[in-house]
Amino acid sequence: MKRIKFAILGMGRIGKVHADTIQANSNAELAAIHDPINNEINRLQKRYSCQQMSLDDITNNDQIKGILICTPTDTHVDLIKRFLYTKKAVFCEKPLDLNLKKVKNFIISDFFFDLIKLTTLNNDIIDHNHDLIEEEININERI
């Protein structure tokens, strides 16, 4: 069976957790990592036996089928938009953004209809902003 290739954007604590999970799965391969602000990136590239790639290189690499977004929160929506139309599966760590207006604009945009390819982690026990966003969206749907 051919292994599914992934790229991780952001190699902080949670990026490393996902990298370890990918490496533990015999059907998956960590093909690339991207993190322009991580001083350990060269060591991580060796640790995970993968390539460092620019966002453009990851975008244009047809072998990479899945993107894991583990970057700072304020970058999530823009990175999701960048990758949703590349025919790559997109996984984004929570939350989508801390700016409610940005989240609402994203949800009502054309991208909303492609969210079936997007998986977000929502842990409302840890992230109380999830409840606030869900409540705001529900209020606006009734208006």
Side-chain angles (χ1 to χ4, degrees), residues 53-72:
M53 288 187 178
S54 69
L55 289 177
D56 287 339
D57 288 341
I58 293 170
T59 301
N60 295 322
N61 187 316
D62 293 334
Q63 299 298 310
I64 295 173
K65 302 300 183 189
I67 306 294
L68 287 82
I69 299 174
C70 306
T71 57

Side-chain angles (χ1 to χ4, degrees), residues 30-140:
L30 181 56
I33 56 177
H34 173 81
D35 192 329
I37 60 172
N38 190 323
N39 295 331
E40 300 181 307
I41 198 72
N42 290 329
R43 186 181 65 76
L44 293 170
Q45 176 187 8
K46 290 176 186 162
R47 174 180 168 184
Y48 294 111
S49 302
C50 61
Q51 297 180 49
Q52 288 183 58
M53 288 187 178
S54 69
L55 289 177
D56 287 339
D57 288 341
I58 293 170
T59 301
N60 295 322
N61 187 316
D62 293 334
Q63 299 298 310
I64 295 173
K65 302 300 183 189
I67 306 294
L68 287 82
I69 299 174
C70 306
T71 57
T73 300
D74 64 343
T75 66
H76 289 177
V77 169
D78 292 333
L79 288 170
I80 292 166
K81 287 179 181 179
R82 178 185 186 116
F83 286 101
L84 274 180
Y85 290 114
T86 63
K87 297 184 180 179
K88 299 178 191 310
V90 178
F91 171 91
C92 184
E93 274 295 337
K94 65 166 178 57
L96 288 178
D97 201 282
L98 296 177
N99 180 321
L100 184 58
K101 184 176 181 178
K102 189 173 182 180
V103 172
K104 284 168 52 175
N105 288 338
F106 174 68
I107 289 173
I108 63 173
S109 72
D110 291 339
F111 290 105
F112 179 75
F113 298 103
D114 288 318
L115 287 177
I116 193 118
K117 291 173 24 182
L118 170 67
T119 303
T120 60
L121 285 180
N122 292 311
N123 187 338
D124 53 8
I125 295 169
I126 296 171
D127 185 2
H128 301 288
N129 290 319
H130 174 263
D131 290 336
L132 295 173
I133 291 170
E134 184 175 45
E135 180 180 320
E136 185 68 25
I137 290 168
N138 288 336
I139 288 169
N140 286 326

